[in-house]
Amino acid sequence: MQLKPVSLDVIAEAREEAHAVLATLMARLAPGEHVVRLGVDMEGQEQPLSATLPITVEGDGGADDLVGAEAKWLDNFVFLLTCGLAQTLCSGVLYLRSCGVDGQVSVRAWYLCWGALNECPAAEAAELLEGREPGVYVDAFGLHAVDEGDDDGGEAVYPPVAYTVL
């Protein structure tokens, strides 16, 4: 099976969603060192494509924390996430490895399917990653923005300019 071309409108929408997903992820991070990894499997590729995004959060856990990522890593990550979100026949895994200031390591995972990232409970994350990542597996949180038509009072997602790129 061959991947079908995707329109520029779909790419633009997926890029916007990729930025929103990263803004949501970064807003939920506690102070410490974090690494986000993404693997996307596309039809016709011999192996999954991957991107890594190291993120540092400095502060006391409040709204004024400084969240930083290097621009080259961020751009590469956003590009691959955009591709995965735009092409519904792609599949993949996104996972977050966090090392808090106390030194405790936690791992969360999301699976990419049909153009959306779906959160994994802790047990499913451990199974999905086959225990490759050391640390405590915890339940993932939702990364996609809630549609404006939903009445469940979802949180606002900040635009890409809400986080600092170092």
Side-chain angles (χ1 to χ4, degrees), residues 5-23:
V6 177
S7 74
L8 292 178
D9 290 340
V10 171
I11 293 289
E13 186 177 317
R15 183 176 24 254
E16 187 177 306
E17 183 65 16
H19 280 286
V21 162
L22 280 175

Side-chain angles (χ1 to χ4, degrees), residues 1-3 40-46 87 89-91:
M1 180 188 306
Q2 191 82 15
L3 289 179
V40 177
D41 191 17
M42 297 182 192
E43 185 69 32
Q45 297 291 325
E46 290 184 23
Q87 184 54 263
L89 294 178
C90 292
S91 62

Side-chain angles (χ1 to χ4, degrees), residues 12-151:
E13 186 177 317
R15 183 176 24 254
E16 187 177 306
E17 183 65 16
H19 280 286
V21 162
L22 280 175
T24 300
L25 179 74
M26 289 179 171
R28 300 281 304 260
L29 297 178
E33 298 293 322
H34 309 272
V35 177
V36 186
R37 289 194 169 90
L38 173 64
V40 177
D41 191 17
M42 297 182 192
E43 185 69 32
Q45 297 291 325
E46 290 184 23
Q47 61 184 18
L49 302 173
S50 63
T52 302
L53 179 62
I55 301 172
T56 301
V57 180
E58 296 177 357
D60 58 5
D64 295 331
D65 286 355
L66 177 64
V67 179
E70 287 189 47
K72 68 178 181 178
W73 296 101
L74 182 68
D75 292 343
N76 187 51
F77 195 90
V78 167
F79 175 76
L80 184 57
L81 183 54
T82 298
C83 292
L85 294 172
Q87 184 54 263
T88 56
L89 294 178
C90 292
S91 62
V93 176
L94 180 142
Y95 70 93
L96 168 66
R97 184 177 186 274
S98 300
C99 184
V101 290
D102 60 356
Q104 183 165 345
V105 176
S106 64
V107 180
R108 290 179 169 85
W110 295 261
Y111 63 91
L112 175 66
C113 185
W114 291 104
L117 287 164
N118 303 286
E119 55 270 12
C120 294
E124 188 177 332
E127 184 179 320
L128 188 64
L129 297 174
E130 299 174 347
R132 286 179 293 207
E133 283 296 318
V136 176
Y137 286 82
V138 293
D139 294 343
F141 46 84
L143 291 176
H144 289 286
V146 176
D147 289 338
E148 293 167 8
D150 291 349
D151 293 330

